[in-house]
Amino acid sequence: MTTQNAINWPEKYLPGTGDNFVSNEVVVRGITAAQVWRYLTDTSAWESYYDNVADISFPRGGGPVLADDLVFSFGTFGFPPLAARVVGFQAPGDGVPGRLSWTARQDGKPEERLDVLHAWLVEDLPGGRVRVLTQETQIGQPAAELAGQTPNPMLNGHQAWLDGLVRAASGGA
């Protein structure tokens, strides 16, 4: 039996307590957590494999590779660039899953406010497989509006991100 790791959630963002929560996962053979991690943490590669991200910037310097406590911004799902900060960063290692999470915010009028925690877990599994899990909790009226759509655009958007990430890590375009 193989036990798989889970994302560690701050209480504020516990799944099911916000206005929108999505969870996407892939398990594939033939690539490693280290290969996936390279494309996940290098924001300069994101637009090459995921078409729902734009305008990535680092207002305080640093980047394009994400690191703990790094401040960045990016546009996605039609929102103006969200102010983001890496709040969890652990590269994958022998028997240790990679963990990446960031918060992202959109301030403004109450109906525009958005507060998000997007978390990733990347782990090698027995048999030459890798598991990539991404989950996101969103709080705010824009999140509730997304959650009310069928299918949920976040669910489909994050699946496209996962699929592109796996293709990139596998050496595909």
Side-chain angles (χ1 to χ4, degrees):
M1 182 174 104
T2 300
T3 301
Q4 295 181 343
N5 289 285
I7 289 173
N8 302 322
W9 287 97
E11 188 172 337
K12 176 181 179 182
Y13 300 102
L14 281 175
T17 63
D19 295 303
N20 193 14
F21 172 77
V22 296
S23 179
N24 298 73
E25 177 180 39
V26 294
V27 177
V28 296
R29 191 180 332 183
I31 57 175
T32 66
Q35 288 170 290
V36 171
W37 191 254
R38 176 180 159 226
Y39 286 93
L40 176 59
T41 58
D42 183 354
T43 64
S44 69
W46 287 3
E47 290 181 65
S48 71
Y49 66 82
Y50 181 51
D51 64 5
N52 192 22
V53 67
D55 303 319
I56 302 166
S57 67
F58 299 87
R60 297 183 188 166
V65 177
L66 298 178
D68 200 28
D69 206 39
L70 182 69
V71 173
F72 66 109
S73 70
F74 64 101
T76 188
F77 290 99
F79 293 113
L82 301 169
R85 183 173 66 87
V86 176
V87 295
F89 188 95
Q90 173 185 287
D94 190 21
V96 176
R99 295 180 181 277
L100 173 65
S101 60
W102 60 75
T103 56
R105 297 182 60 89
Q106 174 178 282
D107 294 322
K109 300 174 193 167
E111 65 272 12
E112 297 172 345
R113 290 186 192 140
L114 185 63
D115 185 2
V116 170
L117 181 82
H118 192 153
W120 296 81
L121 187 134
V122 182
E123 66 181 326
D124 288 314
L125 298 176
R129 300 172 302 143
V130 67
R131 174 181 177 234
V132 185
L133 171 66
T134 185
Q135 297 180 327
E136 181 167 316
T137 293
Q138 301 176 329
I139 301 164
Q141 187 174 329
E145 290 169 6
L146 285 173
Q149 297 178 34
T150 303
N152 186 321
M154 293 296 299
L155 189 65
N156 289 342
H158 287 175
Q159 190 62 46
W161 198 339
L162 278 176
D163 294 345
L165 177 59
V166 167
R167 270 193 310 278
S170 299

